[in-house]
Amino acid sequence: MENRQSWRQRLYIIIFETSTPAAQRFDNWLLVAILASLVVVMLDSIERFHSQYAGIFSALEWFFTALFAIEYALRLYSSPKPMRYAFSFFGLVDLLAVLPAILALMFADAQYLMIVRVIRMIRIFRVLKLRQYLTQANFLLVALRGSKQKIVVFLVSVSTLVTVYGALMYVIEGPANGFTSIPTGIYWAVVTLTTVGFGDITPQTPVGQMLATLVMITGYSIIAVPTGIFTAELANAMRQDGLMEHDCPHCRKNRHEYSAAFCSRCGGPLFSRQVEPSASTQNTPETD
Amino acid sequence: MENRQSWRQRLYIIIFETSTPAAQRFDNWLLVAILASLVVVMLDSIERFHSQYAGIFSALEWFFTALFAIEYALRLYSSPKPMRYAFSFFGLVDLLAVLPAILALMFADAQYLMIVRVIRMIRIFRVLKLRQYLTQANFLLVALRGSKQKIVVFLVSVSTLVTVYGALMYVIEGPANGFTSIPTGIYWAVVTLTTVGFGDITPQTPVGQMLATLVMITGYSIIAVPTGIFTAELANAMRQDGLMEHDCPHCRKNRHEYSAAFCSRCGGPLFSRQVEPSASTQNTPETD
Amino acid sequence: MENRQSWRQRLYIIIFETSTPAAQRFDNWLLVAILASLVVVMLDSIERFHSQYAGIFSALEWFFTALFAIEYALRLYSSPKPMRYAFSFFGLVDLLAVLPAILALMFADAQYLMIVRVIRMIRIFRVLKLRQYLTQANFLLVALRGSKQKIVVFLVSVSTLVTVYGALMYVIEGPANGFTSIPTGIYWAVVTLTTVGFGDITPQTPVGQMLATLVMITGYSIIAVPTGIFTAELANAMRQDGLMEHDCPHCRKNRHEYSAAFCSRCGGPLFSRQVEPSASTQNTPETD
Amino acid sequence: MENRQSWRQRLYIIIFETSTPAAQRFDNWLLVAILASLVVVMLDSIERFHSQYAGIFSALEWFFTALFAIEYALRLYSSPKPMRYAFSFFGLVDLLAVLPAILALMFADAQYLMIVRVIRMIRIFRVLKLRQYLTQANFLLVALRGSKQKIVVFLVSVSTLVTVYGALMYVIEGPANGFTSIPTGIYWAVVTLTTVGFGDITPQTPVGQMLATLVMITGYSIIAVPTGIFTAELANAMRQDGLMEHDCPHCRKNRHEYSAAFCSRCGGPLFSRQVEPSASTQNTPETD
């Protein structure tokens, strides 16, 4: 009883954490399994292979499903709050990794099944999540969230632009040149504004080409906007942690070198000198 | 009489402002109506649907026109200076939302009418305008206006570049390879320089391809320029609040470099070193 | 004699400078003439128009040539150092604007003539040159020159990358799929790396498509590099002129607010107080 | 014996260093040889030329091989630690420049040989390496290495995105519209997300086009991310020398915030206010 408890804890550390070498090994194997299952799905989707090795592929699929099912069971078993885990984001992703087989029993449309099987890839982040990359990812997310509002404004402006351009092209070029409807026109406008330029639909009339030129120049210029927003936001975030945050008790200058003992503006001591060690240590945290 | 006056004011707040929940609700409904009318226009432009539901679409069109007509009337009625509003930018946009029907009575070309109907979309900004996004949008506009001159120089250079490249390609490739005229050559140059690359016209001769390579490298490199201008401008705008607000105790100059220890106007020390707590605390508010 | 001298000077100011309203008007008319001549060249290059209005076009061409010839003569006449002007960059450009007609007498190939006629467009910068835009343009040039070395490194790396990629694609895909030679492969690699993507040549084999994916990801990622270089350079340049450059005589802090009278670091006077006006004015220049 | 030693050293300086004019000349000639051999490979790959001048090309190839072989021998001979050099990166690249001929004797597949011959181009960096560009290149590399982790996160996210998009398109559009398999779908997703847009495969169904629009907007927006990361990283590297070099007269701490008036370690004033000229002048050198 007692050692089973400890066994569960050990299992928890291996599966959910990344501190021990065993846990590291588990993560690596999980990564391999996920990627391998992905490769199988992809090869399976190629007609030539599918017709030949259909049997092997489904066998492998069942194998991986079993593997992920066992993993899911162990996670449920080892986690202290099974329900909490089961309904967490990654808990659902883990479940999703097992579902395809169950779904396969219900309805047999291999097509739609494939998407579910591909979504397994999201689990890669579960592994990344357990690495130092998390901080970096989080860092990017913060920068993106910081520029959210501006991005919204940008997207609304772009969609308006695209809609108007699309309607204009539909009227100027007309169905004869492939602009069969306003939505098609909008699709073309997006293709052009984002500088993708498939070339499946292209303006034929001189007026249409002049408008297209305008669209392209617009897209080429405003490609700056999200970049600018994001970069400024990121630079801002980076400048935040360049200096130490601590109000000078005399002049309130609130950013100093990490090694600063005195304010570089008024020369006053940053930390009252006659503090007993305890107090000084209690200051430490806020300087980290 | 008196309460009708107040009624008009309440109406004004609901329609033009965004402070009250009622106004918020009005904005949301307006947004829905605008988007719905847009969807109708788009579906109407798809031949398949148009042939089937032409009746329903025109009915809906009339419905939305009526709706926007009422809104326009209410705006005119409730605004303190009707004329001033009528000739304001958004006043004209609101009018434009009603025009299509009237125009339809005059000439029946559905095609050109559609553009006017699409332009309704601009009214989305009227709704956005009333949200906190305004500040953000305004912020972006400031940055764009700040970089206006540089952008002009950039655009003139690009157009010169594009014209010369276009003429060269026209001479090198010639009509045989699709470069039927200098304008066509310029159109191709824009398509290539902006990295859109439709592929409807492509160089066939080795010399033409070498020149194309040059155009592409140019475009790929100067894609930096507008981005750089904009970002620098944005960062600049963000640095505007770089100066510290603090009254100089001697000459009362109240904006200084962030790290200033002495007033840059009278040379007096900004912070006496042996300040008594009281003084320092009284400094706190203005420095936060 | 005396007043002819003055007349020449007045002419010089009108043609070469931009201070007087007359000079402004001259610039505007010059701009109009340049653009008009460009429009003529473009229309002339369109077969349909050329066949119809060949006569009118050549007449206009002669008219503009005469116009620019007169202008060139006046510039030579009015400039104090005619030879110096004649061999300056813009002097040659101005001459180039007259050449086409003379060349036309020698050999009649309209094709190559057109390029020379298009190059007239460069003269637009002569007009821009005389406006406040100059500073902005110069500003951009400085930023570009500052990042010159880095750009060279970047371009060498890119060309190596492109050459290797091109050779690989040539070997992998082979002439059968349109990669007829290494140069063609390189052309494709440039088209892909710069995210232009014409689609005139596309990889057909799985291996080729995997390599193409690599090329695209590379191009998509290093699109950052020139942008980053340029932006950092520009931001640097902008930070330079945020504050006034003037060494504090005591602590040598060499950037101050424009209004600064005392150093904000050591509190010492920036300009010795007992200077007689003359001396203080002699300080002014270096603060501009 | 003695002077042979010195002769080897002189050779070493000429070949490996860049300090003497002789070494400079050697580098230039090496650069010419490398580029010339490249041109030969390229022309050789063009069928038309190959069939005509096959003999000349192979002759030139042998000539360059001999040249590079001699150079390699000299490098081995002159370098103080031949083994160390032979297994250094550039040592292997130099060897690679000689290999093709030897390989040609073993198996005669001209195709694969060409790649090896193209790889010679990498040696250009050996020449660049010996120039002031090194610092710049190194500077860029530092910035890139600094943003490595973030780039990894970015690439993982993008690949996940691309895989999911690819699978969705494969299911939505199906083999009928060219999306023959999930890998093909992924290839299309990369082509679209990176805004390359070949147009060899394009969505035909309305749903597919809507998804494509999403992919394009995504790609157009996150084109910001690597740029932002890189630029911020670069700006960061540039800010490294943000601290002022000036010895504190009391505790000799010699790096301070640029605007520091008092030492941030001992709190003593960095600049005595009533300094006599002599002192200020003696400050000059170290602050420049």
Side-chain angles (χ1 to χ4, degrees):
Chain A
M1 180 57 196
E2 168 46 57
N3 61 14
R4 196 221 275 137
Q5 185 55 31
S6 67
W7 159 247
R8 261 183 69 178
Q9 285 171 346
R10 230 176 302 113
L11 196 63
Y12 175 81
I13 288 167
I14 291 172
I15 298 180
F16 282 93
E17 286 178 16
T18 185
S19 46
T20 68
Q24 294 268 356
R25 234 177 291 108
F26 176 82
D27 287 340
N28 294 336
W29 279 111
L30 186 58
L31 193 58
V32 170
I34 294 165
L35 294 177
S37 69
L38 264 174
V39 170
V40 171
V41 184
M42 290 184 189
L43 294 178
D44 197 7
S45 76
I46 300 169
E47 191 45 42
R48 199 167 71 265
F49 296 151
H50 181 69
S51 54
Q52 283 186 5
Y53 312 108
I56 304 167
F57 286 141
S58 60
L60 282 168
E61 172 57 21
W62 277 110
F63 166 71
F64 285 120
T65 310
L67 215 67
F68 294 138
I70 295 164
E71 183 212 346
Y72 186 61
L74 287 177
R75 285 189 186 275
L76 272 181
Y77 168 74
S78 64
S79 68
K81 303 194 192 56
M83 275 305 110
R84 180 98 153 302
Y85 158 73
F87 292 103
S88 69
F89 172 69
F90 274 111
L92 295 170
V93 172
D94 296 340
L95 181 60
L96 213 58
V98 191
L99 271 178
I102 292 103
L103 292 171
L105 299 177
M106 295 189 288
F107 60 89
D109 189 333
Q111 295 282 310
Y112 293 92
L113 217 52
M114 274 177 164
I115 298 173
V116 195
R117 283 165 68 186
V118 164
I119 289 170
R120 274 184 188 153
M121 191 168 177
I122 299 173
R123 306 189 67 219
I124 285 179
F125 288 103
R126 168 184 261 320
V127 180
L128 267 190
K129 202 175 167 311
L130 306 164
R131 298 283 158 85
Q132 80 276 46
Y133 291 106
L134 175 62
T135 57
Q136 297 294 340
N138 190 44
F139 185 50
L140 290 183
L141 284 176
V142 166
L144 280 173
R145 201 173 300 119
S147 53
K148 198 176 117 290
Q149 267 193 345
K150 294 197 199 63
I151 295 288
V152 168
V153 175
F154 175 72
L155 287 182
V156 172
S157 317
V158 165
S159 10
T160 312
L161 216 60
V162 157
T163 316
V164 173
Y165 275 136
L168 282 170
M169 287 305 279
Y170 165 67
V171 172
I172 292 168
E173 291 281 326
N177 297 334
F179 293 81
T180 52
S181 67
I182 288 183
T184 313
I186 292 171
Y187 165 71
W188 173 88
V190 171
V191 169
T192 309
L193 195 82
T194 57
T195 77
V196 171
F198 280 132
D200 51 351
I201 311 169
T202 53
Q204 303 302 332
T205 63
V207 185
Q209 293 185 340
M210 281 164 83
L211 187 60
T213 305
L214 197 65
V215 180
M216 287 180 266
I217 296 288
T218 315
Y220 189 65
S221 306
I222 66 176
I223 204 170
V225 179
T227 310
I229 293 165
F230 182 84
T231 310
E233 211 62 52
L234 203 66
N236 216 10
M238 274 176 146
R239 204 171 39 249
Q240 291 318 326
D241 50 35
L243 294 171
M244 160 181 80
E245 260 190 70
H246 175 74
D247 282 10
C248 164
H250 307 93
C251 74
R252 295 277 173 254
K253 177 175 193 297
N254 73 343
R255 297 204 167 287
H256 305 276
E257 295 174 53
Y258 277 107
S259 64
F262 294 87
C263 174
S264 66
R265 184 160 70 197
C266 71
L270 287 177
F271 311 100
S272 49
R273 265 215 202 64
Q274 310 78 326
V275 285
E276 54 283 355
S278 65
S280 66
T281 46
Q282 120 197 23
N283 276 342
T284 327
E286 71 193 270
T287 68
D288 287 340
Chain B
M1 180 57 197
E2 169 45 58
N3 61 13
R4 195 221 275 138
Q5 184 56 30
S6 69
W7 158 246
R8 262 182 69 178
Q9 285 170 347
R10 231 177 301 111
L11 195 64
Y12 175 81
I13 288 167
I14 290 173
I15 298 180
F16 282 93
E17 286 178 16
T18 184
S19 46
T20 68
Q24 295 266 357
R25 234 176 290 107
F26 176 82
D27 288 339
N28 294 336
W29 280 113
L30 185 58
L31 194 58
V32 171
I34 294 165
L35 294 178
S37 69
L38 263 175
V39 170
V40 171
V41 184
M42 290 186 190
L43 294 178
D44 196 7
S45 77
I46 299 169
E47 191 46 41
R48 200 166 71 263
F49 296 149
H50 180 69
S51 54
Q52 282 186 5
Y53 313 107
I56 303 168
F57 286 140
S58 60
L60 281 168
E61 172 56 20
W62 277 110
F63 166 71
F64 285 119
T65 310
L67 214 66
F68 293 138
I70 295 165
E71 184 211 346
Y72 187 62
L74 287 178
R75 286 188 186 275
L76 272 180
Y77 168 74
S78 64
S79 67
K81 304 194 193 55
M83 275 307 110
R84 181 97 153 302
Y85 157 74
F87 291 103
S88 71
F89 172 69
F90 274 110
L92 295 170
V93 173
D94 296 339
L95 180 62
L96 213 59
V98 191
L99 270 178
I102 293 100
L103 291 171
L105 299 177
M106 295 190 288
F107 60 91
D109 189 332
Q111 294 283 310
Y112 293 92
L113 217 52
M114 274 179 164
I115 297 173
V116 194
R117 283 164 68 185
V118 164
I119 288 171
R120 274 184 188 154
M121 190 168 178
I122 299 173
R123 306 188 69 219
I124 285 179
F125 288 101
R126 169 183 261 320
V127 180
L128 267 190
K129 202 173 167 313
L130 306 165
R131 298 283 158 84
Q132 79 276 46
Y133 291 107
L134 175 61
T135 58
Q136 298 294 340
N138 190 44
F139 185 51
L140 289 182
L141 284 176
V142 166
L144 280 173
R145 202 174 300 118
S147 53
K148 196 175 121 293
Q149 266 194 345
K150 292 197 200 63
I151 296 287
V152 168
V153 174
F154 176 72
L155 287 182
V156 172
S157 316
V158 166
S159 9
T160 313
L161 217 60
V162 157
T163 317
V164 173
Y165 275 137
L168 282 170
M169 287 306 277
Y170 165 68
V171 172
I172 292 167
E173 291 281 326
N177 297 335
F179 294 81
T180 52
S181 67
I182 288 184
T184 314
I186 292 171
Y187 165 71
W188 174 87
V190 171
V191 169
T192 308
L193 195 83
T194 57
T195 76
V196 171
F198 280 133
D200 51 353
I201 311 169
T202 54
Q204 304 302 332
T205 64
V207 185
Q209 294 184 338
M210 280 165 84
L211 187 60
T213 305
L214 198 66
V215 180
M216 288 181 265
I217 295 288
T218 315
Y220 189 65
S221 306
I222 65 176
I223 205 170
V225 178
T227 311
I229 293 165
F230 183 84
T231 311
E233 211 61 55
L234 204 65
N236 214 12
M238 278 175 150
R239 209 176 33 249
Q240 282 320 319
D241 41 33
L243 290 182
M244 160 184 76
E245 265 189 59
H246 175 74
D247 282 11
C248 164
H250 309 86
C251 74
R252 295 278 168 241
K253 177 176 194 296
N254 79 335
R255 291 188 70 74
H256 306 274
E257 288 177 54
Y258 182 71
S259 305
F262 295 89
C263 174
S264 65
R265 186 162 67 198
C266 72
L270 286 175
F271 309 95
S272 52
R273 208 156 156 199
Q274 312 77 332
V275 285
E276 56 282 354
S278 65
S280 67
T281 46
Q282 120 195 25
N283 276 343
T284 326
E286 68 194 273
T287 65
D288 286 343
Chain C
M1 181 55 198
E2 169 45 60
N3 61 12
R4 195 221 274 137
Q5 184 56 32
S6 67
W7 158 246
R8 262 182 70 177
Q9 285 171 346
R10 230 177 301 111
L11 196 63
Y12 175 80
I13 289 166
I14 290 173
I15 298 181
F16 282 93
E17 286 179 17
T18 185
S19 47
T20 67
Q24 295 268 355
R25 233 176 290 109
F26 176 82
D27 288 339
N28 295 336
W29 278 112
L30 186 58
L31 195 57
V32 170
I34 294 166
L35 293 178
S37 71
L38 265 174
V39 171
V40 171
V41 183
M42 289 185 190
L43 294 177
D44 195 8
S45 76
I46 299 169
E47 191 44 42
R48 200 168 70 265
F49 295 150
H50 180 70
S51 53
Q52 283 186 5
Y53 312 108
I56 303 168
F57 286 141
S58 61
L60 282 167
E61 172 57 20
W62 277 110
F63 167 71
F64 284 121
T65 310
L67 214 66
F68 292 138
I70 294 165
E71 183 211 347
Y72 187 61
L74 288 177
R75 285 188 186 277
L76 273 180
Y77 168 75
S78 65
S79 66
K81 303 195 193 55
M83 274 306 111
R84 180 96 152 303
Y85 157 73
F87 291 104
S88 70
F89 173 69
F90 274 111
L92 294 169
V93 172
D94 295 340
L95 180 61
L96 214 59
V98 191
L99 270 178
I102 293 101
L103 291 171
L105 298 177
M106 295 189 288
F107 59 91
D109 189 333
Q111 294 283 310
Y112 292 91
L113 217 53
M114 275 179 163
I115 297 173
V116 194
R117 284 164 68 185
V118 164
I119 289 170
R120 274 183 187 154
M121 190 168 178
I122 300 173
R123 307 189 67 220
I124 286 179
F125 288 102
R126 169 184 260 321
V127 180
L128 267 190
K129 203 173 165 315
L130 304 165
R131 298 282 158 84
Q132 80 275 45
Y133 291 107
L134 174 62
T135 58
Q136 297 294 340
N138 190 44
F139 186 50
L140 289 182
L141 284 176
V142 165
L144 279 173
R145 201 172 302 117
S147 52
K148 196 175 119 293
Q149 266 194 345
K150 293 197 200 63
I151 296 287
V152 167
V153 175
F154 176 72
L155 287 182
V156 172
S157 317
V158 165
S159 10
T160 312
L161 217 60
V162 157
T163 317
V164 173
Y165 275 137
L168 282 171
M169 288 306 278
Y170 165 66
V171 173
I172 293 168
E173 292 280 326
N177 297 334
F179 293 82
T180 53
S181 67
I182 287 184
T184 313
I186 292 171
Y187 165 71
W188 174 87
V190 171
V191 169
T192 309
L193 196 83
T194 56
T195 77
V196 170
F198 281 133
D200 51 352
I201 310 169
T202 54
Q204 303 303 330
T205 64
V207 185
Q209 294 185 338
M210 279 164 85
L211 188 59
T213 304
L214 198 64
V215 180
M216 288 181 265
I217 295 288
T218 315
Y220 189 65
S221 305
I222 65 177
I223 204 170
V225 178
T227 311
I229 293 165
F230 183 83
T231 311
E233 212 62 53
L234 202 67
N236 216 10
M238 273 176 144
R239 204 170 39 247
Q240 291 318 324
D241 51 35
L243 295 171
M244 160 182 80
E245 259 189 70
H246 176 72
D247 281 11
C248 165
H250 307 92
C251 74
R252 294 278 174 256
K253 179 177 192 294
N254 73 343
R255 299 203 165 286
H256 306 274
E257 295 174 52
Y258 277 106
S259 63
F262 294 88
C263 174
S264 68
R265 184 160 70 195
C266 69
L270 287 176
F271 309 101
S272 50
R273 261 213 205 66
Q274 314 72 330
V275 286
E276 54 282 355
S278 65
S280 66
T281 45
Q282 118 197 27
N283 274 343
T284 327
E286 72 192 86
T287 66
D288 287 343
Chain D
M1 181 56 197
E2 169 44 60
N3 60 14
R4 195 220 277 137
Q5 184 55 31
S6 67
W7 158 247
R8 261 182 71 177
Q9 284 171 348
R10 230 176 303 110
L11 196 66
Y12 176 81
I13 288 167
I14 289 173
I15 298 181
F16 283 94
E17 285 179 17
T18 184
S19 45
T20 67
Q24 294 267 355
R25 233 177 290 108
F26 176 82
D27 288 339
N28 295 335
W29 279 112
L30 186 58
L31 194 58
V32 171
I34 294 165
L35 293 177
S37 69
L38 264 174
V39 170
V40 171
V41 184
M42 289 185 190
L43 295 178
D44 196 8
S45 76
I46 299 169
E47 192 44 43
R48 199 168 71 265
F49 296 150
H50 180 69
S51 52
Q52 284 186 5
Y53 313 108
I56 303 167
F57 286 141
S58 60
L60 282 168
E61 172 56 21
W62 277 110
F63 166 71
F64 285 120
T65 310
L67 215 68
F68 293 137
I70 295 163
E71 184 212 346
Y72 186 61
L74 287 178
R75 286 188 185 275
L76 271 180
Y77 167 74
S78 64
S79 67
K81 303 193 193 59
M83 276 305 110
R84 179 96 152 303
Y85 157 74
F87 291 104
S88 69
F89 172 69
F90 274 111
L92 294 170
V93 172
D94 295 340
L95 180 61
L96 213 59
V98 191
L99 270 178
I102 292 104
L103 290 172
L105 298 177
M106 294 189 289
F107 60 90
D109 190 334
Q111 294 282 311
Y112 292 92
L113 217 52
M114 275 179 163
I115 298 173
V116 194
R117 284 164 68 186
V118 164
I119 289 170
R120 274 185 187 152
M121 191 169 178
I122 299 173
R123 305 188 68 219
I124 286 180
F125 288 102
R126 169 183 261 319
V127 180
L128 267 189
K129 202 173 167 315
L130 304 164
R131 298 283 158 86
Q132 80 276 45
Y133 291 106
L134 175 62
T135 58
Q136 298 294 338
N138 191 44
F139 185 49
L140 290 182
L141 284 176
V142 166
L144 281 173
R145 201 173 301 120
S147 53
K148 199 177 115 289
Q149 266 194 346
K150 293 197 200 62
I151 296 287
V152 168
V153 175
F154 176 72
L155 287 181
V156 172
S157 317
V158 165
S159 10
T160 312
L161 216 60
V162 157
T163 316
V164 173
Y165 275 138
L168 282 170
M169 288 306 278
Y170 166 67
V171 173
I172 293 168
E173 291 281 325
N177 298 335
F179 293 82
T180 52
S181 68
I182 288 184
T184 313
I186 292 171
Y187 166 71
W188 174 88
V190 172
V191 169
T192 309
L193 195 83
T194 56
T195 75
V196 170
F198 280 132
D200 51 351
I201 311 169
T202 53
Q204 304 303 331
T205 64
V207 185
Q209 293 185 339
M210 280 164 85
L211 187 60
T213 305
L214 198 66
V215 180
M216 287 180 266
I217 296 288
T218 314
Y220 190 65
S221 306
I222 66 176
I223 205 170
V225 178
T227 311
I229 292 165
F230 183 83
T231 310
E233 211 63 53
L234 206 64
N236 213 12
M238 278 175 149
R239 209 176 33 249
Q240 285 319 318
D241 43 33
L243 292 180
M244 158 183 80
E245 264 187 61
H246 175 72
D247 281 12
C248 164
H250 308 86
C251 74
R252 294 279 166 240
K253 178 177 191 296
N254 79 336
R255 290 188 70 75
H256 307 273
E257 288 177 54
Y258 181 71
S259 306
F262 295 90
C263 175
S264 66
R265 186 161 70 197
C266 70
L270 286 174
F271 309 95
S272 52
R273 208 157 155 200
Q274 311 77 332
V275 284
E276 56 283 354
S278 65
S280 65
T281 46
Q282 118 195 26
N283 276 341
T284 325
E286 68 193 275
T287 64
D288 285 344

